[in-house]
Amino acid sequence: MLKISAMYTDQYQLAMAQVYFKSNQKNHRAIFDYYFRDLPFQGGYAVFAGLEDFLKIISELKFSPSDLEYLQEQGFEKDFLEFLKDFRFTGNINSCMEGDLVFPNRPILQVEATLIEAQIIETILLNLLNFQTLIATKASRIRLVAGDATLLDFGLRRAQALGGYYASRAAMIGGFNGTSNVIAGKDFGIPVSGTMAHSFVQSFDNEIDAFRSFAQASAENCVLLVDTYNTLKSGIPNAILIAREMESKGKKLLAIRLDSGDLSYLAKESRKMLDEAGLHYVKIAASNQLDEFVIKSLLEQQAPIDIFGVGTNLVTGNPDAALDGVYKLSFSAGKPRIKISESIVKVTLPHKKQVFRIKTKDGKCVGADAIGLYHENRIEEMFHPFEPYKSMRLNTFEQEPLLKPVMMNGKITIPLRSLAEIANYSMERLAQLPIEYKRFNNPHIYKIGISQTLQNGRDHLITDIKKRLK
Amino acid sequence: MLKISAMYTDQYQLAMAQVYFKSNQKNHRAIFDYYFRDLPFQGGYAVFAGLEDFLKIISELKFSPSDLEYLQEQGFEKDFLEFLKDFRFTGNINSCMEGDLVFPNRPILQVEATLIEAQIIETILLNLLNFQTLIATKASRIRLVAGDATLLDFGLRRAQALGGYYASRAAMIGGFNGTSNVIAGKDFGIPVSGTMAHSFVQSFDNEIDAFRSFAQASAENCVLLVDTYNTLKSGIPNAILIAREMESKGKKLLAIRLDSGDLSYLAKESRKMLDEAGLHYVKIAASNQLDEFVIKSLLEQQAPIDIFGVGTNLVTGNPDAALDGVYKLSFSAGKPRIKISESIVKVTLPHKKQVFRIKTKDGKCVGADAIGLYHENRIEEMFHPFEPYKSMRLNTFEQEPLLKPVMMNGKITIPLRSLAEIANYSMERLAQLPIEYKRFNNPHIYKIGISQTLQNGRDHLITDIKKRLK
């Protein structure tokens, strides 16, 4: 596993921590909210991912002797460095679960810790959760259109350097079946698979020799890449020959792979040729610049493709470079805190909070979350502050609290799940979401409201700041 | 430093390697070309980066005992695993230097090794070089418009997970001055810097208390974030008070930072207020969704900004998710190899090659590279195969060979340079490039031609394949 130290942070976190350390704020406790402001891909939902990696990393986070030496050269002071030597994250975290559907402008996770501890983990929190949530959401969109097709992550070579490591994990949470990424396979237990490269075919004097060598060495999983020279004139006829040779040895060719040209046309022609040769069981895999839109189009054209290998557009979340997740102070030193802004939607929500997902009695999402203070057990009425004022009586609905304790005093308090379990959980959550939120164009907006108590507390703080600014 | 093992690869590399191992191709040597097909950002050039990291990693690449155990569970065979146990990369590499300007469809780097070794390193090569080249190019574009302003990388929190590590390095090669990323500072010797977060200001009861505490703890580098409540009514007046308090102690406020609102307007108003207070030396830093276009526009509006902090758009290369670098076989088992395609520009170039940059006697780029066989010392005439046929006599020009030996038998053969040296080198290279290639809209296309000998060799192979396909 790639090792991340406490140095994986922004310089200002340490600069601020040193000021806190030297001030009376050294032991002040704070609450920070993690949330994002815009859904990626102009979609209707996001799939939360990255939590377990984040928790594991911060539960073991520390500064090494060489880290401290470096920080000393950077001018940090002796007593602060002495403090960092024993630094551990000892705070509490409440969070949505990995695989939960999440929406803008409501807390996905809350950190409760000393100001110093909460700042030092900010960068790694944003870095891991923003990215995995982006990729799990992309993967989920691809799964939505792909039906039962097998989806494989082929993206490592085009990933943003080591980002490929976590991208493969997040893709599984969003609904992929496997990856080509061997280290992710090893570390996260993801099924790994792959076929052959064009160079393999080229390195033999003839395509048929390349296919034959590969088939002899393969067990159950032989996939032949048919487009090195000419898919329909050479690749498919040679693959058919090899499939027959394999049959004579009691083996079966798993699939052929198309990696260029018009995938819809080539898949149909290839299917016809394979079927005419009696090879109905040989599957068709396709790759080359795929994303949710291309796959949707291919399947609408009834291209007989069984396996999609998705690369760049999956692991980089193209066209969205990043989820715009932020980490905002909502409470410190015993007082609620707020940040105001020229833009009303950027005003933060003070206090320790809970997010309730409003559902019908049979468990369907009604398209609204309500935010209250953490100790509010139920919310009676919900206010929408970010749109023309309206309110909604909630007493006929179920209210599911989304933020659950996942870390107490720096120790993980939830059972860790396998990736398959998280992916299944996410599928269940997605099934509760009405289809209007899943469409790609102008999806329905998942509403947000706040409780009367939170509303009052917030108004009070805003009035107070405005008074001081006059 | 983040440790990368030989498992950071695609499954098919190992599957192909096993077939080679069991066939007569076990010791066959091959040459692979690394190049890309499209310039990122619709720009006129790219800045090559990532080479030293790549060389260091492959010079130490191996499979650990637990890696081999995992591969055994995955069904790889005993004798092949035994072979992997002692696997080291022992090949040769010729390459452009980091900081060189590179263009599409001509080799940037060539790997010469056994087929097995060359395949196993493919994924890590593409992963590291594609990404760092993308980010160095983005950084270079930002430097082009930013003039002498200080450019800081603030992107780690929005980076694609661990991609932030190498993004900070590549940004320096493209012309940035520093980073907020502490681990990149430590591992790559990049100057680190940072200011404060909004949460820091919020955690105090008053903005002025927050500023005062920060100023007391800061040495020469105090930057105050002025937009938590109201930039012009509160932030700047408080910063002026603190600057005066600092002066009375013989210290100087370095800068104020704007992170929201209309940066051009706020910078001008802030400058006015600071100047009226006699604080001409206090600089203005700006951040918030910056990229080359926003910075260009700000400077065209004569916004008096001295320091730009660039985040997401820098470290993710937004809007381009990836450089489309590929790795293609050009020679194996004593024979030149080619891949043909429906698209003429995707036909590969066979043989071991050299790329010559054509320059005037005084060292200016004339806008064309010529590709010849590796042993060709000079190219007399250059043919453009990818556009309406024309040729160019080269005897009046200088010809600079770009591919130099950087690794022999698995050992690095070039002196490693500091990032500052690489960045300076890149600036020199950029100065040789005419301005038409640097503009953002429809830049001039950097031509490519091939020598008569290479042209003949390629035509011969194409004819040969077409004959076999009939």
Side-chain angles (χ1 to χ4, degrees):
Chain A
M1 180 146 172
L2 296 171
K3 195 84 190 155
I4 293 177
S5 93
M7 299 283 276
Y8 202 79
T9 191
D10 288 302
Q11 194 270 352
Y12 80 170
Q13 313 288 11
L14 299 176
M16 291 188 285
Q18 178 165 272
V19 179
Y20 288 138
F21 176 79
K22 291 176 150 318
S23 78
N24 66 346
Q25 299 229 50
K26 182 179 168 187
N27 297 312
H28 280 180
R29 288 182 77 78
I31 296 174
F32 282 81
D33 299 348
Y34 169 65
Y35 60 96
F36 59 85
R37 295 187 180 123
D38 293 299
L39 280 165
F41 316 120
Q42 307 187 321
Y45 68 94
V47 177
F48 178 51
L51 178 68
E52 287 193 9
D53 298 304
F54 167 65
L55 294 177
K56 279 187 218 161
I57 287 165
I58 62 162
S59 69
E60 296 176 359
L61 207 65
K62 56 185 174 182
F63 293 91
S64 72
S66 84
D67 292 341
L68 295 170
E69 222 168 272
Y70 172 77
L71 293 177
Q72 189 174 4
E73 291 162 21
Q74 294 295 306
F76 285 94
E77 298 181 24
K78 275 246 159 72
D79 51 350
F80 178 62
L81 294 171
E82 200 57 37
F83 166 80
L84 289 187
K85 204 170 83 179
D86 299 320
F87 174 85
R88 294 290 183 281
F89 181 77
T90 63
N92 306 328
I93 295 178
N94 290 335
S95 177
C96 291
M97 294 295 111
E98 281 197 280
D100 268 339
L101 303 184
V102 291
F103 303 92
N105 293 311
R106 61 212 83 179
I108 296 168
L109 177 149
Q110 282 198 315
V111 173
E112 191 173 4
T114 65
L115 275 164
I116 295 177
E117 291 181 7
Q119 288 292 172
I120 286 177
I121 67 164
E122 175 184 2
T123 307
I124 186 76
L125 179 156
L126 290 173
N127 179 278
L128 288 178
L129 301 184
N130 281 343
F131 182 58
Q132 284 207 44
T133 300
L134 181 78
I135 304 307
T137 305
K138 185 73 171 181
S140 169
R141 290 162 62 83
I142 297 172
R143 171 51 72 201
L144 271 186
V145 299
D148 292 331
T150 298
L151 292 176
L152 303 175
D153 151 35
F154 281 180
L156 184 57
R157 61 189 52 206
R158 299 279 170 81
Q160 299 215 333
L162 308 175
Y165 183 67
Y166 288 117
S168 298
R169 179 181 186 276
M172 295 299 291
I173 292 176
F176 269 58
N177 301 95
T179 183
S180 68
N181 180 346
V182 180
I183 186 71
K186 181 188 176 204
D187 286 358
F188 300 122
I190 305 174
V192 296
S193 61
T195 59
M196 60 172 65
H198 295 114
S199 60
F200 183 85
V201 180
Q202 289 170 266
S203 76
F204 290 80
D205 288 339
N206 294 291
E207 190 178 51
I208 190 85
D209 296 342
F211 285 3
R212 191 173 285 122
S213 292
F214 201 77
Q216 278 162 2
S218 301
E220 305 299 297
N221 53 1
C222 181
V223 180
L224 300 174
L225 178 64
V226 293
D227 69 337
T228 304
Y229 300 113
N230 186 308
T231 301
L232 301 178
K233 280 191 187 168
S234 165
I236 297 289
N238 281 332
I240 289 171
L241 277 177
I242 295 297
R244 294 221 168 103
E245 290 178 17
M246 289 176 79
E247 282 182 347
S248 74
K249 289 175 191 154
K251 287 167 77 175
K252 277 187 169 177
L253 177 62
L254 177 63
I256 59 101
R257 175 159 79 102
L258 306 168
D259 187 45
S260 60
D262 187 313
L263 295 177
S264 175
Y265 170 76
L266 291 173
K268 286 176 189 172
E269 293 298 312
S270 300
R271 183 76 272 159
K272 222 181 287 172
M273 291 166 77
L274 290 166
D275 287 350
E276 279 165 12
L279 299 167
H280 304 278
Y281 61 83
V282 175
K283 293 183 172 166
I284 296 181
S287 50
N288 196 23
Q289 312 280 0
L290 299 180
D291 65 10
E292 63 270 49
F293 300 102
V294 177
I295 292 174
K296 187 164 188 279
S297 164
L298 285 169
L299 294 177
E300 281 166 0
Q301 295 166 73
Q302 302 187 294
I305 299 171
D306 310 286
I307 302 165
F308 293 96
V310 189
T312 316
N313 293 316
L314 169 68
V315 299
T316 63
N318 193 37
D320 277 9
L323 184 76
D324 67 344
V326 293
Y327 184 76
K328 294 293 177 190
L329 183 71
S330 56
F331 199 86
S332 74
K335 293 181 193 168
R337 306 281 170 172
I338 195 166
K339 178 182 179 297
I340 63 171
S341 167
E342 285 182 43
S343 153
I344 181 72
V345 295
K346 282 192 163 186
V347 177
T348 62
L349 289 169
H351 290 284
K352 183 170 181 179
K353 296 175 287 291
Q354 180 57 279
V355 179
F356 297 93
R357 181 138 302 164
I358 312 302
K359 295 184 167 181
T360 59
K361 300 278 180 204
D362 61 345
K364 294 282 173 206
C365 296
V366 303
D369 290 336
I371 310 180
L373 297 181
Y374 192 70
H375 62 72
E376 292 188 81
N377 285 328
R378 275 189 74 83
I379 292 176
E380 291 307 314
E381 193 164 6
M382 172 171 109
F383 300 89
H384 300 235
F386 300 145
E387 52 179 43
Y389 183 90
K390 47 181 173 165
S391 69
M392 182 174 171
R393 294 242 120 236
L394 299 180
N395 46 4
T396 60
F397 296 105
E398 299 291 325
Q399 299 188 18
E400 181 192 353
L402 294 180
L403 302 177
K404 303 184 183 82
V406 297
M407 177 168 272
M408 290 282 287
N409 304 319
K411 301 263 181 301
I412 298 173
T413 56
I414 46 166
L416 300 181
R417 296 175 293 173
S418 73
L419 271 181
E421 286 169 323
I422 298 173
N424 282 338
Y425 173 77
S426 190
M427 284 289 163
E428 285 166 23
R429 302 299 263 183
L430 207 55
Q432 298 166 355
L433 188 72
I435 196 165
E436 288 77 10
Y437 300 89
K438 297 177 193 168
R439 67 177 179 237
F440 290 167
N441 294 320
N442 298 315
H444 217 50
I445 291 169
Y446 210 91
K447 300 282 187 308
I448 175 178
I450 64 181
S451 74
Q452 188 66 62
T453 337
L454 181 53
Q455 176 88 316
N456 293 345
R458 189 167 183 253
D459 288 348
H460 178 76
L461 284 174
I462 294 176
T463 315
D464 192 50
I465 288 173
K466 291 208 166 141
K467 228 179 284 168
R468 274 192 284 148
L469 285 180
K470 275 209 181 108
Chain B
M1 181 146 171
L2 295 170
K3 195 87 190 154
I4 294 177
S5 91
M7 297 284 276
Y8 203 80
T9 192
D10 287 302
Q11 193 271 353
Y12 79 172
Q13 312 288 11
L14 299 176
M16 290 187 286
Q18 179 165 273
V19 179
Y20 288 138
F21 176 79
K22 292 177 148 323
S23 77
N24 65 345
Q25 298 230 49
K26 183 180 167 187
N27 298 311
H28 280 181
R29 288 183 77 79
I31 296 174
F32 282 81
D33 299 348
Y34 169 65
Y35 60 95
F36 59 86
R37 293 185 180 127
D38 292 300
L39 280 165
F41 316 119
Q42 308 190 320
Y45 68 95
V47 176
F48 178 51
L51 178 67
E52 286 193 9
D53 298 304
F54 167 66
L55 294 177
K56 279 187 218 162
I57 287 166
I58 63 162
S59 69
E60 296 176 358
L61 207 65
K62 56 184 174 185
F63 293 90
S64 73
S66 83
D67 291 341
L68 296 170
E69 223 168 89
Y70 171 77
L71 293 177
Q72 189 175 2
E73 291 163 20
Q74 294 295 306
F76 285 94
E77 297 180 24
K78 275 248 160 70
D79 51 350
F80 178 61
L81 293 172
E82 199 60 35
F83 166 79
L84 289 187
K85 204 169 82 180
D86 299 320
F87 174 84
R88 293 291 182 281
F89 181 78
T90 63
N92 306 328
I93 295 179
N94 290 335
S95 178
C96 291
M97 293 296 111
E98 280 197 279
D100 268 338
L101 303 182
V102 290
F103 302 92
N105 293 311
R106 61 213 82 178
I108 297 169
L109 178 149
Q110 282 198 316
V111 173
E112 190 172 6
T114 65
L115 273 166
I116 294 177
E117 291 181 8
Q119 288 292 174
I120 286 177
I121 67 164
E122 175 183 3
T123 306
I124 187 74
L125 179 155
L126 290 172
N127 180 278
L128 288 178
L129 301 183
N130 281 342
F131 181 59
Q132 284 207 46
T133 300
L134 181 78
I135 303 306
T137 305
K138 185 74 172 181
S140 169
R141 289 162 63 83
I142 296 173
R143 171 50 72 201
L144 270 186
V145 298
D148 292 332
T150 298
L151 292 176
L152 303 176
D153 151 35
F154 282 180
L156 184 57
R157 62 189 52 207
R158 299 279 170 81
Q160 300 214 333
L162 307 175
Y165 183 68
Y166 289 117
S168 299
R169 179 181 186 275
M172 295 299 291
I173 293 177
F176 269 56
N177 301 95
T179 183
S180 68
N181 180 344
V182 181
I183 187 71
K186 182 189 175 202
D187 287 358
F188 299 123
I190 304 174
V192 296
S193 60
T195 60
M196 60 172 65
H198 295 115
S199 60
F200 183 83
V201 180
Q202 288 170 268
S203 77
F204 290 80
D205 288 339
N206 293 291
E207 192 177 50
I208 190 86
D209 297 343
F211 285 4
R212 192 172 286 123
S213 292
F214 201 77
Q216 279 163 0
S218 301
E220 305 298 298
N221 53 2
C222 181
V223 180
L224 300 174
L225 179 63
V226 293
D227 70 338
T228 304
Y229 300 112
N230 186 307
T231 301
L232 301 179
K233 281 192 188 168
S234 165
I236 297 289
N238 282 333
I240 289 171
L241 277 177
I242 295 298
R244 293 216 170 109
E245 290 179 15
M246 290 176 78
E247 282 182 348
S248 73
K249 290 174 192 154
K251 288 167 76 176
K252 277 185 169 178
L253 177 62
L254 178 63
I256 59 101
R257 175 160 77 103
L258 305 167
D259 188 45
S260 60
D262 188 311
L263 296 177
S264 176
Y265 169 76
L266 291 173
K268 285 176 190 172
E269 293 299 311
S270 301
R271 184 75 273 159
K272 225 182 286 172
M273 292 166 75
L274 291 167
D275 287 350
E276 280 165 12
L279 298 167
H280 304 279
Y281 61 83
V282 175
K283 293 183 172 164
I284 295 180
S287 51
N288 195 21
Q289 311 281 359
L290 300 179
D291 66 10
E292 64 270 49
F293 300 102
V294 177
I295 293 175
K296 188 165 187 281
S297 165
L298 285 170
L299 294 176
E300 282 166 0
Q301 295 166 72
Q302 302 187 293
I305 299 171
D306 311 286
I307 302 166
F308 293 96
V310 190
T312 316
N313 293 315
L314 169 68
V315 300
T316 63
N318 192 37
D320 277 12
L323 184 77
D324 68 343
V326 294
Y327 184 77
K328 295 292 177 189
L329 184 71
S330 56
F331 199 87
S332 75
K335 293 182 192 168
R337 306 281 169 170
I338 196 167
K339 177 181 179 298
I340 63 171
S341 167
E342 284 182 42
S343 153
I344 182 72
V345 293
K346 282 192 163 186
V347 177
T348 62
L349 290 169
H351 290 284
K352 182 171 182 179
K353 297 175 287 291
Q354 180 58 277
V355 179
F356 298 92
R357 181 137 303 163
I358 311 303
K359 294 183 168 183
T360 58
K361 299 279 179 204
D362 60 346
K364 294 282 173 208
C365 296
V366 303
D369 291 335
I371 310 180
L373 297 181
Y374 193 71
H375 62 74
E376 292 188 82
N377 286 326
R378 274 188 74 83
I379 292 176
E380 291 306 314
E381 193 166 4
M382 171 170 109
F383 301 90
H384 300 235
F386 300 143
E387 51 179 45
Y389 184 90
K390 50 184 170 165
S391 68
M392 182 174 170
R393 295 241 120 236
L394 298 181
N395 45 4
T396 60
F397 295 104
E398 300 291 325
Q399 299 187 17
E400 181 193 352
L402 295 180
L403 302 177
K404 303 183 183 81
V406 296
M407 178 168 271
M408 289 282 288
N409 305 318
K411 302 261 180 304
I412 299 173
T413 55
I414 47 165
L416 299 181
R417 296 176 293 171
S418 72
L419 271 181
E421 287 169 323
I422 298 172
N424 282 338
Y425 173 77
S426 190
M427 285 289 162
E428 285 166 21
R429 301 299 262 183
L430 207 54
Q432 299 167 354
L433 189 71
I435 196 165
E436 287 77 9
Y437 300 89
K438 297 178 195 170
R439 67 177 180 238
F440 290 168
N441 294 320
N442 297 317
H444 217 51
I445 291 168
Y446 210 92
K447 301 281 189 306
I448 177 179
I450 63 181
S451 73
Q452 186 67 61
T453 337
L454 181 53
Q455 176 88 317
N456 293 345
R458 189 167 181 255
D459 289 347
H460 178 77
L461 283 175
I462 293 175
T463 315
D464 193 50
I465 287 173
K466 291 208 166 140
K467 227 181 284 168
R468 274 193 283 146
L469 285 180
K470 272 203 185 113

